[in-house]
Amino acid sequence: MSRISAISSTTPYIFGHISSGNKLMSAADGAAELAIVENEKAQVTGYNTGTKNLGDGTNMLNTSDSALGSITSHLQRMRELGLRASNSTLNGTNRADIQKEIDQLKQGIEHIATQTRYNGMNLLDGSMSNGVQLVSDAGGASITVNHAANSTLQALGIADFDVTKDFNLQSIDDALTKVTSNRSTFGAQSNSLDHAIDYNGYASTNLTAAQSRMGDTDIAKAIQELTHQQTMQSISMMLQKKKAEQEGQKTMGLLF
């Protein structure tokens, strides 16, 4: 009976391993392996969380780049109007009409610079001079996103641009250069974050695979073992029954 009991006691564990897909249901199934798997789980969670954090940084940079693209369009139109106003065939009234549109464009630039936000943070008014720290991986390492862009009229040097007075298109060209430089910086940083996200993805995938190899149940092998145990249990019960019958017959022979 001890053999049957031994088989019966292990069968529920095999059922549990098959139904859960987890062969390390407790430390008794392998203390060292369980510790390794739990550590790998923590690393996977860390990498996946780092990817989300980096994604936030990418979204922030994309928001800034889109806003700077709008500012660039405004500046290009201001330059076009400045060139138009430079034409000596225009009179003061013509230039005043042109300035009205320029003033609207300036208001648009200031609005974009002061109202572009990500999660409540102003992105283009110079208030983020210290950058943003993004926790990027399972070890708690961080990547700093330099976000010191200031695209207000004052910072761009075009607050006083007025074609009804003496003006110089160089101020518009300088503003375009500043905006383009900021966009280039954001683009480079966005590419860097993309590379970090790709690395996290590879690391997470490889760790998940390693975790699976160590912690997941080999279903085919488990079913084979279960079938073997069930077969052995049936044979043992048959033998026990046959032995009991033989002993019963001996007892009856002694009585008669």
Side-chain angles (χ1 to χ4, degrees):
M1 292 297 293
S2 61
R3 183 177 180 83
I4 297 176
S5 298
I7 294 175
S8 299
S9 64
T10 58
T11 299
Y13 288 101
I14 298 178
F15 275 119
H17 293 161
I18 293 173
S19 62
S20 67
N22 181 8
K23 71 178 180 183
L24 299 175
M25 299 176 63
S26 69
D29 295 321
E33 290 84 353
L34 183 62
I36 293 171
V37 166
E38 290 301 324
N39 180 58
E40 290 174 341
K41 284 182 180 179
Q43 292 185 67
V44 168
T45 299
Y47 280 118
N48 291 342
T49 302
T51 294
K52 293 178 182 177
N53 293 340
L54 294 171
D56 287 340
T58 298
N59 292 336
M60 182 186 70
L61 290 171
N62 289 341
T63 300
S64 297
D65 182 66
S66 179
L68 289 177
S70 295
I71 290 177
T72 298
S73 296
H74 282 58
L75 290 171
Q76 293 285 12
R77 178 57 179 166
M78 285 177 64
R79 192 178 193 285
E80 179 184 350
L81 292 171
L83 286 171
R84 176 62 178 159
S86 299
N87 195 338
S88 60
T89 61
L90 299 184
N91 57 35
T93 301
N94 299 142
R95 292 188 177 89
D97 290 337
I98 291 174
Q99 185 60 36
K100 290 178 182 178
E101 183 177 350
I102 289 176
D103 288 340
Q104 290 297 314
L105 291 167
K106 288 164 66 175
Q107 288 180 25
I109 291 173
E110 189 71 9
H111 179 78
I112 293 170
T114 57
Q115 300 302 314
T116 298
R117 296 187 177 95
Y118 184 82
N119 198 26
M121 298 180 294
N122 290 339
L123 301 180
L124 300 176
D125 64 355
S127 61
M128 295 181 65
S129 57
N130 293 327
V132 177
Q133 298 287 328
L134 303 172
V135 178
S136 59
D137 62 24
S142 62
I143 295 177
T144 301
V145 174
N146 178 20
H147 210 291
N150 189 341
S151 298
T152 60
L153 293 174
Q154 197 66 41
L156 294 178
I158 57 173
D160 299 325
F161 185 77
D162 190 338
V163 297
T164 65
K165 306 173 183 178
D166 290 335
F167 68 94
N168 190 335
L169 285 176
Q170 186 61 45
S171 62
I172 301 296
D173 291 338
D174 291 343
L176 281 166
T177 298
K178 291 178 182 178
V179 173
T180 300
S181 177
N182 284 331
R183 295 189 71 182
S184 296
T185 298
F186 293 160
Q189 291 184 109
S190 182
N191 289 337
S192 177
L193 294 184
D194 286 342
H195 290 312
I197 288 172
D198 287 343
Y199 171 78
N200 282 359
Y202 296 140
S204 176
T205 298
N206 290 331
L207 281 169
T208 300
Q211 173 190 324
S212 177
R213 286 193 295 270
M214 185 170 292
D216 290 353
T217 300
D218 185 333
I219 300 298
K221 184 177 179 180
I223 291 176
Q224 182 180 16
E225 176 63 22
L226 178 62
T227 301
H228 172 72
Q229 289 201 12
Q230 290 174 332
T231 301
M232 292 300 296
Q233 186 175 1
S234 297
I235 292 173
S236 295
M237 292 180 69
M238 289 175 61
L239 291 174
Q240 290 290 341
K241 182 179 180 181
K242 185 175 182 180
K243 182 178 180 181
E245 290 175 349
Q246 291 174 343
E247 290 179 350
Q249 290 174 355
K250 288 181 180 179
T251 300
M252 292 295 293
L254 292 174
L255 292 174
F256 297 98

